[in-house]
Amino acid sequence: DFDRASAAFKQALQLKPIYPKALYNLALLEYQRQQHQEALKYLKTALEQEPDYPEAQALRQKILQVF
């Protein structure tokens, strides 16, 4: 269930604000829900925290190809 997964990742970020994997997973959930702008927002923060995060880079590129 997307809503529960999203809530869990957001809770993890409250406990650990610098958590690129949680941000990436939130972006992936938003991407799957066709919420590309939200996904890009999470990916931007994830890549600011960990610039060499290949999965986040790949998802960002995939979304940007759509626009």
Side-chain angles (χ1 to χ4, degrees):
D1 164 344
F2 287 116
D3 292 331
R4 288 193 329 175
S6 180
F9 290 125
K10 287 177 181 177
Q11 183 178 14
L13 286 167
Q14 287 179 342
L15 297 172
K16 184 178 174 186
I18 299 177
Y19 195 178
K21 186 168 184 147
L23 290 161
Y24 168 76
N25 285 317
L26 279 166
L28 191 56
L29 286 171
E30 295 299 341
Y31 172 74
Q32 292 170 341
R33 291 199 274 198
Q34 304 293 313
Q35 300 298 315
H36 296 141
Q37 293 291 17
E38 278 297 303
L40 287 171
K41 181 180 79 170
Y42 289 124
L43 289 169
K44 179 180 183 289
T45 305
L47 289 167
E48 286 171 352
Q49 293 178 4
E50 188 176 328
D52 296 325
Y53 192 161
E55 292 90 347
Q57 292 172 342
L59 182 57
R60 183 178 181 274
Q61 283 303 113
K62 189 174 187 175
I63 293 169
L64 289 175
Q65 287 176 353
V66 173
F67 289 111

